[in-house]
Amino acid sequence: MQLAERIINSKDAGLGNLLAAPKQNQVSFAGGLPDPDLFPQRELNAGFNRALASTTAALQYSSAAGYQPLRKQLAARLVADGVPASTESVLITQGAQQALDLIGRLVLDPGARVIVEGPTYPGALAALGTYEPEFCTIPVHDDGMDMAQVAATLARGGVRLIYTVPDFQNPTGTVMSLAKRQQLLALARKYDVLVLEDAPYRALRYRGTNLPTLRQLDQDDHVLHVGSFSKILAPGLRLGWVTGAQHIIDQLVQLKSNSDLESSTLTQRAVSEYLAHNDLDAHIKVLRRNYARKCKTMVTGLQRQLPASVHISDPAGGFFVWLELPAGINSETVLAQVQDRVTFVPSTTLYPDQNVKNGMRLAFTNPDEAAIRRGCRELAAGINKAMRVTCGAATAMA
Amino acid sequence: MQLAERIINSKDAGLGNLLAAPKQNQVSFAGGLPDPDLFPQRELNAGFNRALASTTAALQYSSAAGYQPLRKQLAARLVADGVPASTESVLITQGAQQALDLIGRLVLDPGARVIVEGPTYPGALAALGTYEPEFCTIPVHDDGMDMAQVAATLARGGVRLIYTVPDFQNPTGTVMSLAKRQQLLALARKYDVLVLEDAPYRALRYRGTNLPTLRQLDQDDHVLHVGSFSKILAPGLRLGWVTGAQHIIDQLVQLKSNSDLESSTLTQRAVSEYLAHNDLDAHIKVLRRNYARKCKTMVTGLQRQLPASVHISDPAGGFFVWLELPAGINSETVLAQVQDRVTFVPSTTLYPDQNVKNGMRLAFTNPDEAAIRRGCRELAAGINKAMRVTCGAATAMA
């Protein structure tokens, strides 16, 4: 039986393993899972009860673009954040992941170039990889992508899409500076290339103030802004959204319809009821307080136990701490040593070419603080051991 | 901004219009919408309450393949219907529509050939059309596709997929005979081609006895069997499934993960609770009784008011009555005349080449019986008028 080229050429992105629940006695820093103790379970349950009490329409077919009152509520939230949006220009998707898939479907032919940050979100590589592009990896500095390299890559031609997480980048936690946001948009305009602004962590800032989104700064409709309820409400709802120029959203609605007809009307109505009867921003404040504390626990725990030669990020928001080990230390080797006790995402998974081995992505949001401390101890012990072995070997060689 | 070839070459399948709610005073025979009065709303609400009462896991990330207890329940239902299935070989999808999308993604490169029935389900043309195949349309007889033409098309080469609705075909309502099922499988084996058995209506038989599924008769893993809760429980849940050879299902799980990570754990748990605490087969019996009555109302209503030159199907199950008007009568012209009062799907939408104009798909499941009678009157008046005009013109020409 002959399979499609896209399958024959594909690699397993390993997303399934990422999102698996931790095994017994194992601390997982791997998947970007929220803290389940913070899910507003009772309030969401009330939302489902309300949605099911009022009308049979909650169980019927409805609309590919999404439940209109929810789109309106989302548009209002986007506008409050400075993002230009209207009810009509918001498309509801199956989590942000489906938005990435549909955007890839819209602009990518085999061999088209896609600019991604290195390291980046592995799910984006998986979703966009379906359409067989050539990924061009741009290093991420503390203030975002290296814009000289973005410009040089665009000048080579053939780029159809720039994928970026400007706020609390997955996995480095960095925030793209205002100057770079403006440079990126100028380049997108010059080369007439679409920018996918993936913003699932934007509301989860633990200190400082947000910069304007790319979509807010976008003068000529080159940006699609993608968001999600997964990190601020609950991933089990599978609700995300995308907004941008109306003619692009209209095409994405059509692609959504072809792909799965529509998202669950019931779930959309339940979340719409939740938003109408609860203060989501107050809920997000609780998340911010909790995650800021967990982040600090992880960063200080690692700082205390690791030598200065290991670079430890100190993110101002988001879900992840990023470790850079000295060159020559392989994070996959460390993972093999410690994975019965603690897991994380090795950097190989986060680069299209899987060629950078000395990085580690650590999600701090899911485990409780005692588990974070235990996981940091186990991880630091594993890293220190690997560094002794490698340095010992290097010394013996010298 | 450059779009992908698949977009530039695409046509709007018009699915959005199909599933829209009817306007005031309009009877809709267009979309395949179930009767909302028959949704087990209270029981499903109890399912959501149970799913949300027991654990926070209902709101967390879970698994691309689906919620294991639901997969187990579905496997048991499939086995009871003669379909070989295990928990592991059932993948949960966003309705059957996503299964079609993922199967297209698995086997179709641009220009690959796909055999479809003519007429067929427009959503299949939309989902598979994403992967830019060449559709080969095979006429449907009372006992299923014309097998001589299937054989000739396969002999020409390049066919990667055969898409069929063997039970109560959408839109003709026909059932593929046992002999043709066996011939189709022999051809799939001979040419090593995948068969997509789309079976959303199989449980909705109004008289007679079901034949074995293609997947049951499949000796060498050429069949993927697709089902859905949309027609037997509620479309707003967006839950379908696909089963087949384990190695193919494993690949589809990977594609599902890349495309939207997973379906809603919460919805899956709620339906699993529904199945555990209710008798779905008893519910399906109620649907069958109700839909059989509506089907009879529509068929007899049309038979009484239309001349013998209009062929009216009398389906033994499913959602649709199929009308074939005399050649030269254009169903789109009739639609334009009557659509303020009654709508339906003209045959153009149901053929990849949109070249057959004298057919009409009429869904009888959604309107109540009074509305069906009113819609049939309006539709028959429109058809009779179009036939008078055309025959009058023909007489004047003669």
Side-chain angles (χ1 to χ4, degrees):
Chain A
M1 206 173 303
Q2 204 179 330
L3 301 179
E5 290 288 333
R6 74 181 65 82
I7 305 300
I8 296 164
N9 302 331
S10 72
K11 296 178 279 214
D12 182 347
L15 292 183
N17 295 337
L18 277 193
L19 299 174
K23 293 180 211 124
Q24 189 143 30
N25 299 323
Q26 183 195 52
V27 178
S28 177
F29 298 148
L33 278 68
D35 184 340
D37 289 345
L38 300 175
F39 291 148
Q41 189 138 350
R42 206 165 39 84
E43 294 81 357
L44 284 169
N45 200 348
F48 276 92
N49 286 336
R50 285 200 187 91
L52 281 164
S54 56
T55 165
T56 56
L59 292 168
Q60 188 58 283
Y61 289 109
S62 173
S63 130
Y67 180 55
Q68 194 164 1
L70 179 61
R71 293 162 72 201
K72 191 173 172 185
Q73 288 162 313
L74 281 170
R77 291 187 62 81
L78 286 162
V79 167
D81 187 24
V83 179
S86 66
T87 305
E88 287 66 39
S89 72
V90 175
L91 162 63
I92 308 283
T93 54
Q94 278 306 107
Q97 186 72 16
Q98 189 187 37
L100 307 194
D101 178 53
L102 297 178
I103 294 166
R105 194 177 286 213
L106 182 70
V107 296
L108 299 182
D109 288 307
R113 291 203 167 109
V114 176
I115 288 179
V116 295
E117 290 152 337
T120 190
Y121 166 49
L125 300 176
L128 303 173
T130 301
Y131 304 101
E132 303 169 83
E134 179 195 330
F135 287 111
C136 305
T137 309
I138 310 289
V140 184
H141 304 309
D142 282 351
D143 61 347
M145 271 191 276
D146 184 313
M147 285 300 149
Q149 291 197 37
V150 172
T153 304
L154 286 165
R156 277 163 52 211
V159 176
R160 294 269 182 91
L161 185 65
I162 300 172
Y163 172 77
T164 178
V165 184
D167 291 303
F168 319 118
Q169 200 253 352
N170 181 351
T172 61
T174 52
V175 174
M176 191 185 285
S177 68
L178 183 58
K180 282 198 171 175
R181 286 172 199 237
Q182 283 160 337
Q183 286 170 54
L184 186 68
L185 291 170
L187 287 166
R189 185 182 316 127
K190 179 173 174 188
Y191 292 97
D192 197 19
V193 166
L194 194 66
V195 177
L196 197 175
E197 176 178 40
D198 192 6
Y201 310 106
R202 179 168 168 83
L204 298 172
R205 178 177 274 282
Y206 310 135
R207 58 178 188 270
T209 319
N210 271 345
L211 293 171
T213 60
L214 290 169
R215 177 61 183 149
Q216 180 177 352
L217 301 169
D218 180 25
Q219 295 297 307
D220 39 21
D221 287 345
H222 280 91
V223 177
L224 289 173
H225 179 89
V226 171
S228 172
F229 282 120
S230 291
K231 312 301 186 190
I232 56 172
L233 207 50
L237 301 165
R238 308 307 304 125
L239 287 179
W241 56 87
V242 50
T243 188
Q246 192 63 53
H247 71 278
I248 305 180
I249 297 300
D250 291 345
Q251 281 181 301
L252 291 174
V253 171
Q254 185 59 52
L255 295 181
K256 161 87 180 163
S257 169
N258 297 350
S259 133
D260 66 2
L261 298 184
E262 58 191 46
S263 286
S264 165
T265 314
L266 172 56
T267 308
Q268 293 178 70
R269 283 175 181 257
V271 171
S272 177
E273 294 284 354
Y274 169 87
L275 292 175
H277 291 87
N278 297 273
D279 183 345
L280 177 58
D281 290 316
H283 174 66
I284 290 173
K285 263 189 204 153
V286 174
L287 297 182
R288 283 210 298 252
R289 242 191 340 259
N290 179 290
Y291 291 159
R293 203 163 44 223
K294 288 186 174 191
C295 181
K296 194 170 176 199
T297 301
M298 179 178 276
V299 170
T300 53
L302 292 170
Q303 282 172 340
R304 257 202 304 272
Q305 299 172 75
L306 287 170
S309 59
V310 177
H311 181 263
I312 304 162
S313 74
D314 185 12
F319 265 41
F320 306 110
V321 166
W322 176 245
L323 293 195
E324 241 180 276
L325 311 180
I329 310 289
N330 186 332
S331 61
E332 289 185 332
T333 312
V334 176
L335 182 60
Q337 295 288 329
V338 301
Q339 67 187 353
D340 284 346
R341 298 174 302 278
V342 59
T343 62
F344 58 86
V345 178
S347 52
T348 34
T349 309
L350 309 172
Y351 284 84
D353 295 334
Q354 312 194 333
N355 56 346
V356 176
K357 300 195 189 302
N358 64 327
M360 294 182 174
R361 189 188 83 171
L362 311 177
F364 53 77
T365 45
N366 184 255
D368 63 31
E369 291 191 61
I372 291 175
R373 279 188 286 268
R374 195 169 77 244
C376 285
R377 271 198 307 276
E378 297 287 358
L379 183 63
I383 292 172
N384 285 324
K385 189 176 163 193
M387 286 176 68
R388 273 198 307 276
V389 171
T390 310
C391 296
T395 310
M397 299 273 284
Chain B
M1 206 174 298
Q2 205 181 331
L3 300 180
E5 289 290 331
R6 75 180 66 82
I7 306 299
I8 297 164
N9 302 331
S10 71
K11 297 177 279 212
D12 183 347
L15 292 182
N17 295 335
L18 276 193
L19 299 173
K23 295 182 208 121
Q24 190 140 32
N25 298 323
Q26 183 194 54
V27 178
S28 177
F29 298 149
L33 277 68
D35 185 340
D37 290 344
L38 300 176
F39 292 148
Q41 189 138 352
R42 205 166 39 82
E43 293 80 358
L44 283 170
N45 200 347
F48 277 92
N49 286 336
R50 285 200 187 93
L52 280 165
S54 55
T55 164
T56 57
L59 292 169
Q60 188 58 284
Y61 289 109
S62 174
S63 130
Y67 180 54
Q68 194 164 1
L70 179 61
R71 295 162 71 202
K72 189 174 173 185
Q73 287 161 314
L74 281 169
R77 290 187 62 81
L78 286 161
V79 167
D81 187 23
V83 179
S86 66
T87 306
E88 288 66 39
S89 73
V90 174
L91 163 63
I92 308 283
T93 54
Q94 277 305 108
Q97 187 71 17
Q98 188 185 39
L100 307 193
D101 178 54
L102 298 178
I103 294 166
R105 193 177 287 212
L106 183 71
V107 295
L108 298 182
D109 289 306
R113 290 205 168 108
V114 176
I115 288 180
V116 295
E117 288 151 340
T120 190
Y121 166 50
L125 299 176
L128 302 174
T130 301
Y131 305 102
E132 302 169 84
E134 179 196 330
F135 287 110
C136 304
T137 309
I138 309 291
V140 184
H141 303 308
D142 282 352
D143 60 349
M145 272 192 275
D146 184 312
M147 286 299 149
Q149 291 197 38
V150 172
T153 304
L154 286 166
R156 277 164 51 212
V159 176
R160 293 268 182 93
L161 184 65
I162 301 170
Y163 173 77
T164 178
V165 184
D167 291 302
F168 319 119
Q169 201 253 353
N170 180 352
T172 61
T174 53
V175 173
M176 190 184 287
S177 68
L178 185 58
K180 283 197 171 176
R181 287 172 198 238
Q182 282 159 339
Q183 284 169 57
L184 186 68
L185 290 171
L187 288 166
R189 185 180 318 127
K190 179 173 175 188
Y191 292 98
D192 196 18
V193 166
L194 194 66
V195 177
L196 198 175
E197 175 177 41
D198 192 6
Y201 310 107
R202 179 167 167 86
L204 298 171
R205 178 177 276 281
Y206 311 135
R207 58 177 189 270
T209 318
N210 271 345
L211 293 171
T213 60
L214 289 169
R215 178 60 184 149
Q216 180 177 351
L217 300 170
D218 180 24
Q219 296 297 307
D220 38 22
D221 287 343
H222 281 91
V223 177
L224 288 173
H225 179 89
V226 171
S228 172
F229 282 120
S230 291
K231 310 303 184 189
I232 56 172
L233 206 48
L237 301 166
R238 307 308 304 123
L239 288 178
W241 55 88
V242 49
T243 189
Q246 192 63 52
H247 70 279
I248 305 180
I249 296 300
D250 290 345
Q251 282 181 301
L252 291 173
V253 171
Q254 184 60 52
L255 295 180
K256 160 86 180 163
S257 169
N258 297 350
S259 135
D260 66 3
L261 297 185
E262 57 192 45
S263 286
S264 166
T265 315
L266 172 57
T267 309
Q268 293 178 70
R269 282 175 182 257
V271 171
S272 177
E273 293 285 353
Y274 169 87
L275 292 174
H277 291 87
N278 296 273
D279 183 347
L280 177 58
D281 290 316
H283 173 66
I284 291 173
K285 263 189 203 154
V286 173
L287 297 182
R288 282 208 300 249
R289 243 193 334 263
N290 180 292
Y291 291 158
R293 202 162 47 223
K294 289 185 174 193
C295 181
K296 194 170 177 197
T297 301
M298 178 177 276
V299 171
T300 53
L302 292 170
Q303 281 172 342
R304 255 200 308 272
Q305 298 172 76
L306 287 171
S309 58
V310 176
H311 180 262
I312 304 162
S313 75
D314 185 12
F319 265 42
F320 306 110
V321 166
W322 176 245
L323 292 195
E324 240 179 279
L325 312 178
I329 311 288
N330 186 333
S331 61
E332 288 184 334
T333 313
V334 177
L335 182 60
Q337 297 288 330
V338 302
Q339 66 187 356
D340 284 345
R341 299 175 302 280
V342 59
T343 63
F344 58 86
V345 178
S347 51
T348 36
T349 310
L350 309 172
Y351 285 85
D353 295 334
Q354 311 195 332
N355 56 346
V356 176
K357 301 194 189 303
N358 64 327
M360 294 183 175
R361 189 189 82 171
L362 311 177
F364 52 76
T365 45
N366 185 254
D368 63 30
E369 289 191 63
I372 292 174
R373 277 188 287 267
R374 194 169 80 245
C376 285
R377 272 197 307 276
E378 297 288 357
L379 183 64
I383 292 172
N384 285 324
K385 189 175 163 196
M387 287 176 67
R388 272 196 308 277
V389 170
T390 310
C391 296
T395 311
M397 300 273 282

